[in-house]
Amino acid sequence: MKIVSVQERTVSLGSATANAAISFDSMTASAVVVEVETQRGRFHGLGFSSIGRYGHGGLLRERFIPRLLAASVTDLHDPDSGAFCMQRIWGVLMKDEKEGGHGERSGAVGVLETAIWDAYAKSEGLPLWALLQREFGHSDECGLPAGQTGVYASGGHYHATGDDASRLADEAKRCLDTGYSWFKLKIGGASETMDRKRIEATVAAAGQSRRIAVDANCAFDAPEKRQALAKLDALSLRWIEEPVNPLNYRGLDEVSSALTTAIATGENCFAAADSSNLLLYGGLRADRDILQMDFVLSYGLTEYLRMINMAEATGWSRRNFIPHAGHQAALHACAGLGLGAHETGSAPGPFGGVSACTRIANGIATVSDRPGTGIENKPELLRYFDGMID
Ligand SMILES: [Mg+2]
């Protein structure tokens, strides 16, 4: 494989919604197209940032795209077998980058690396899930065959126009009626009383508390907020997400010891080393807790596989992995590697739903077998690439 060209564009994702920590009014993302040439022809790999960390235009233009374009064919292939090698791509992108201090570069590398996976899968004539299954193996612990994954819907944001519990209940019911297994809403951005009403409305719509998860976006970091967490624990929800700051391992350890409910966290851990610290010091429990590392924000799939290997070596299962955000590439990783489930946004948009040729029923997504990650089959995502593909 040879890298022919790379394009990047920063796009606006602005929406009038918020969680407990940030507003999404000025959110941006990077759209990336990597054109490659192989013996089978030329292919375009599409990459799109994950949500929550803004676009990476400066880093892409100044460091990572020039490195990719400067790489020789030898740099991209295994010296022994001669086969194209994603670990070598990762080495090219990370050349002269020191360990630690991930900042925004992990997202810049992640979006580029994901675009190359898309091109690689297309060049092999495979959906990304089948390429991942072939190269890294599928775990049957999730209870589903390769090509399928559990799927849940997330939404329940706070709206600038005001919130009411009945609208939230409608959103949850619509998602569950569509075939998603459970629904997740935001909490921690309103009074305890209002949040309680929001949760109760969705539990009533779902019919059982296990079909509702809540995302606190670190709202319970302060010790004086922990009493409210104990009240949430009594509701027997599916999980409580990011109760404390992602780097507050002691706080997470305290919370993990105090709660019976599963904890989901990890979307703001951006490297295998950070994830290792999370498991070593966060007090998380392999029998129930959920790891949400988001590989598009975290140096890409190559680094994500290191996280999975590290976790499996310390008693965790791939079932514990449910990636953050609703990325098309994450859908394929879930279906190809046998992860716990896939998240999708409840509203239409780049992170909402799945591509048109993926089917959702009874809490299971049957992922398309078209080559690549399927961005081309998701019009609300593909529109961000207008004019970038011949
Ligand atoms: Mg979250």
Side-chain angles (χ1 to χ4, degrees):
M1 181 185 290
K2 186 170 86 177
I3 307 292
V4 177
S5 67
V6 184
Q7 301 174 69
E8 66 82 26
R9 170 192 290 166
T10 299
V11 301
S12 171
L13 295 180
S15 80
T17 60
N19 62 33
I22 64 167
S23 156
F24 290 91
D25 276 349
S26 56
M27 185 58 62
T28 60
S30 289
V32 168
V33 177
V34 180
E35 185 182 12
V36 304
E37 184 174 310
T38 74
Q39 290 176 337
R40 296 186 183 90
R42 287 197 176 196
F43 302 90
H44 290 98
L46 277 56
F48 196 76
S49 297
S50 191
I51 182 88
R53 289 280 162 173
Y54 301 92
H56 309 288
L59 288 167
L60 288 166
R61 287 190 298 275
E62 290 170 17
R63 299 219 295 274
F64 299 108
I65 291 176
R67 270 178 214 158
L68 201 52
L69 291 173
S72 68
V73 171
T74 311
D75 291 334
L76 309 184
H77 293 75
D78 184 276
D80 297 323
S81 68
F84 173 70
C85 178
M86 284 302 296
Q87 287 87 349
R88 302 271 295 180
I89 286 278
W90 202 86
V92 164
L93 292 170
M94 291 298 286
K95 184 170 182 289
D96 299 327
E97 296 285 332
K98 294 180 78 173
E99 288 291 330
H102 310 292
E104 300 295 320
R105 76 176 179 192
S106 62
V109 171
V111 69
L112 259 186
E113 203 257 14
T114 309
I116 300 170
W117 276 106
D118 185 46
Y120 181 25
K122 286 170 178 167
S123 75
E124 295 287 308
L126 294 171
L128 179 60
W129 66 260
L131 178 64
L132 294 174
Q133 178 196 16
R134 185 185 81 185
E135 299 216 348
F136 305 104
H138 175 270
S139 165
D140 294 330
E141 287 178 77
C142 64
L144 294 169
Q148 292 191 332
T149 182
V151 64
Y152 80 96
S154 65
H157 290 80
Y158 298 103
H159 293 84
T161 52
D163 294 287
D164 74 67
S166 65
R167 182 167 75 178
L168 191 54
D170 289 344
E171 184 183 349
K173 185 163 186 335
R174 175 174 49 78
C175 292
L176 297 171
D177 287 349
T178 305
Y180 293 96
S181 268
W182 64 94
F183 176 78
K184 183 173 80 185
L185 69 145
K186 299 292 185 185
I187 62 164
S191 68
E192 198 178 329
T193 305
M194 174 53 81
D195 273 348
R196 183 66 176 235
K197 280 186 187 160
R198 288 160 53 80
I199 295 168
E200 286 174 350
T202 55
V203 169
Q208 51 175 297
S209 56
R210 283 281 300 161
R211 299 191 80 192
I212 297 298
V214 293
D215 184 358
N217 293 101
C218 315
F220 300 98
D221 203 53
E224 62 269 23
K225 298 280 184 74
R226 303 284 167 77
Q227 267 195 336
L229 264 182
K231 291 185 203 164
L232 278 179
D233 195 30
L235 299 179
S236 301
L237 300 170
R238 184 155 201 118
W239 72 57
I240 299 170
E241 182 168 321
E242 246 190 351
V244 301
N245 185 287
L247 300 181
N248 183 1
Y249 298 127
R250 177 172 290 176
L252 184 60
D253 186 27
E254 291 165 3
V255 167
S256 303
S257 307
L259 298 184
T260 301
T261 307
I263 291 170
T265 192
E267 69 180 71
N268 292 302
C269 282
F270 292 154
D274 288 0
S275 304
S276 175
N277 278 337
L278 180 71
L279 300 193
L280 281 171
Y281 304 116
L284 294 175
R285 304 149 299 182
D287 68 347
R288 73 194 76 175
D289 292 329
I290 304 299
L291 306 174
Q292 299 177 297
M293 284 72 88
D294 176 342
F295 58 82
V296 188
L297 292 176
S298 311
Y299 296 110
L301 263 167
T302 302
E303 181 78 350
Y304 192 62
L305 288 157
R306 294 180 190 129
M307 295 180 196
I308 291 173
N309 289 339
M310 174 275 299
E312 287 184 324
T314 54
W316 291 73
S317 157
R318 293 187 191 184
R319 273 180 324 207
N320 297 99
F321 282 77
I322 300 183
H324 160 255
H327 206 287
Q328 275 294 119
L331 173 69
H332 282 257
C334 292
L337 298 171
L339 307 184
H342 175 66
E343 172 177 9
T344 87
S346 69
F351 304 104
V354 291
S355 69
C357 39
T358 289
R359 210 160 25 86
I360 291 180
N362 303 318
I364 296 167
T366 303
V367 184
S368 161
D369 56 6
R370 295 190 189 180
T373 57
I375 288 178
E376 288 87 346
N377 302 310
K378 198 166 188 296
E380 60 276 29
L381 179 51
L382 185 63
R383 71 185 182 88
Y384 292 101
F385 295 86
D386 275 355
M388 296 177 81
I389 311 163
D390 304 327

